[in-house]
């Protein structure tokens, strides 16, 4: 289907050679001989990961696995560990998870600490990367096995989205719910979508295992306010603010409070076997199904591009 020249992120997102859509042709913004083609994996993905990243980690076993995978992905990639807050020992997280804080029944110390860790990682971007426009925040059970399928580098993608959708602050790179990640959207030219809630109040996309952060003054201030909640003294003085920042799961809070978007095809996915290391229980069947679907969709795109 639509065989032809190899796709790059720029062509894929309609930045050049834009044409109007006609019956029987590729979607608007894409030449018919550019659409879909070029998804064959490359022998090396080292030139594709060119944006700095932080992965949140508190577990030594998962840290070792992540280091090996990063080395396989791209030995010189700027992907480094960010030590997260541990709900088993963090005083602030335990207090917020208690009934006294009034955050609700869904909050346990681990949930609160995970959300706080994500805010702290975003805050780290504004503190430690003053010359960078983008940073990727990862969880430590992410898999990089879809990277070779990308038709271009990560920086090219983020710069392209910035031109077509200026003002975005967060871009989910690995939507986990089925409604958000359907290959039919991608094939129809719907490469990303804004965050919103549907009529039932459910978010149109979920998941925080991988998202890009765009430098923005308002987001920097927001992350700074959330990061301050890690200090017990500050919590007492800014209790209402800290409740707002920490009262739910990381993806729900961060996407609700920022100008967030998502890709419609997952660029990364969970590795359920790594996720199970800490929980030491059965694999979440929903995660397994999602991971299988992610790879199947990319293989499908590769197949129809031949």
């Amino acid at each position: 289907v639509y065989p032809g020249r190899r796709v790059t992120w720029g062509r894929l997102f309609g930045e050049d050679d834009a044409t109007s859509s006609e019956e029987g042709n590729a979607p608007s913004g894409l030449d018919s001989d550019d659409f879909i083609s070029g998804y064959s994996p490359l022998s090396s993905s080292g030139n594709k990961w060119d944006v700095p990243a932080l992965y949140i980690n508190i577990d030594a076993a998962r840290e070792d696995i992540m280091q090996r995978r990063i080395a396989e992905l791209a030995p010189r990639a700027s992907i480094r560990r960010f030590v997260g807050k541990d709900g088993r020992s963090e005083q602030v997280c335990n207090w917020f998870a208690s009934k006294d804080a009034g955050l609700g029944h869904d909050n346990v110390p681990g949930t609160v600490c995970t959300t706080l860790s994500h805010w702290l990682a975003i805050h780290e971007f504004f503190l430690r990367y003053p010359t960078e426009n983008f940073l990727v925040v990862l969880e430590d059970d992410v898999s990089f096995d879809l990277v070779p399928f990308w038709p271009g580098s990560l920086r090219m993608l983020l710069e392209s989205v910035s031109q077509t959708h200026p003002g975005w602050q967060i871009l989910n790179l690995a939507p986990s719910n089925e409604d958000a990640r359907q290959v039919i959207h991608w094939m129809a030219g719907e490469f990303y979508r804004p965050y919103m809630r549907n009529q039932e109040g459910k978010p149109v996309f979920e998941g925080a295992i991988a998202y890009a952060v765009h430098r923005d003054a308002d987001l920097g201030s927001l992350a700074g306010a959330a990061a301050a909640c890690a200090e017990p003294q500050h919590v007492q003085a800014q209790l209402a603010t800290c409740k707002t920042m920490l009262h739910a799961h990381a993806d729900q809070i961060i996407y609700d409070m920022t100008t967030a978007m998502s890709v419609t095809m997952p660029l990364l996915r969970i590795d359920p076997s790594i996720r199970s290391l800490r929980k030491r229980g059965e694999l979440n069947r929903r995660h397994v199904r999602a991971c299988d679907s992610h790879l199947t969709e990319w293989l499908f795109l590769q197949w129809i591009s031949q």
Side-chain angles (χ1 to χ4, degrees):
V1 180
Y2 302 128
R5 296 191 298 274
R6 185 176 184 81
V7 166
T8 65
W9 289 128
R11 301 189 66 83
L12 190 62
F13 285 86
E15 285 187 10
D16 48 12
D17 296 339
T19 60
S20 60
S21 179
E22 300 178 2
E23 185 177 357
N25 291 339
S28 176
L30 298 172
D31 288 341
S32 61
D33 59 352
D34 292 325
F35 185 54
I36 299 294
S37 63
Y39 286 96
S40 300
L42 301 180
S43 59
S44 172
S45 57
N47 61 332
K48 294 186 177 182
W49 197 286
D50 53 358
V51 173
L54 299 174
Y55 65 91
I56 301 169
N57 171 263
I58 61 171
D59 187 284
R62 294 169 113 179
E63 155 72 357
D64 183 61
I65 294 173
M66 279 294 291
Q67 287 294 333
R68 293 200 302 269
R69 290 192 169 181
I70 291 168
E72 294 171 356
L73 171 72
R76 295 186 297 276
S78 178
I79 305 176
R80 68 180 184 86
R81 184 190 188 205
F82 181 81
V83 180
K85 297 293 183 179
D86 191 340
R88 295 168 293 186
S89 58
E90 196 68 31
Q91 177 185 353
V92 169
C93 299
N94 279 273
W95 183 82
F96 268 111
S98 69
K99 294 181 180 180
D100 295 336
L103 291 186
H105 69 280
D106 193 36
N107 288 277
V108 296
T111 300
V112 177
C113 267
T114 298
T115 302
L116 179 59
S117 296
H118 277 270
W119 280 122
L120 289 168
I122 295 173
H123 184 55
E124 180 83 351
F125 169 46
F126 292 94
L127 290 179
R128 308 297 182 192
Y129 297 85
T131 62
E132 285 287 346
N133 286 326
F134 311 112
L135 176 86
V136 175
V137 176
L138 305 167
E139 293 187 347
D140 63 359
D141 52 4
V142 67
S143 172
F144 298 113
D145 61 352
L146 298 182
V147 175
F149 291 90
W150 297 357
S153 74
L154 186 54
R155 186 174 298 277
M156 290 172 62
L157 166 67
L158 299 180
E159 289 176 347
S160 178
V161 176
S162 298
Q163 291 180 14
T164 58
H165 287 69
W168 70 273
Q169 296 173 324
I170 302 290
L171 180 66
N172 185 351
L173 301 175
S176 59
N177 54 314
E178 293 184 4
D179 289 342
R181 47 164 195 81
Q182 294 182 8
V183 68
I184 192 65
H185 293 313
W186 189 271
M187 293 176 64
E190 301 171 18
F191 304 118
Y192 31 69
R193 63 192 305 188
Y195 179 82
M196 64 183 68
R197 290 181 175 271
N198 61 23
Q199 293 180 344
E200 291 76 31
K202 295 182 179 180
V204 295
F205 58 79
E206 301 172 352
I209 65 162
Y211 55 87
V213 181
H214 191 193
R215 182 168 297 280
D216 175 90
D218 291 339
L219 178 58
S221 298
L222 189 66
C229 297
E231 300 297 331
Q233 301 86 345
H234 178 84
V235 169
Q236 300 300 323
Q238 300 292 332
L239 183 57
T241 298
C242 291
K243 280 186 177 181
T244 301
M245 298 291 189
L246 302 174
H247 74 270
H249 289 272
D251 56 345
Q252 178 181 334
I253 292 292
I254 292 173
Y255 300 150
D256 273 335
M257 298 188 70
T258 64
T259 303
M261 300 179 62
S262 175
V263 294
T264 56
M265 275 285 288
L267 305 184
L268 298 160
R269 64 178 186 160
I270 293 172
D271 185 330
S273 63
I274 298 180
R275 175 157 292 197
S276 68
L277 287 177
R278 187 193 307 161
K279 296 184 178 181
R280 292 179 172 82
E282 293 185 4
L283 298 181
N284 187 313
R285 292 182 180 179
R286 182 173 65 86
H287 292 156
V288 174
R289 287 197 303 271
C291 289
D292 289 344
S293 296
H294 293 166
L295 183 57
T296 300
E297 288 164 350
W298 279 105
L299 290 172
F300 171 72
L301 288 177
Q302 181 195 4
W303 174 70
I304 66 175
S305 71
Q306 301 304 309

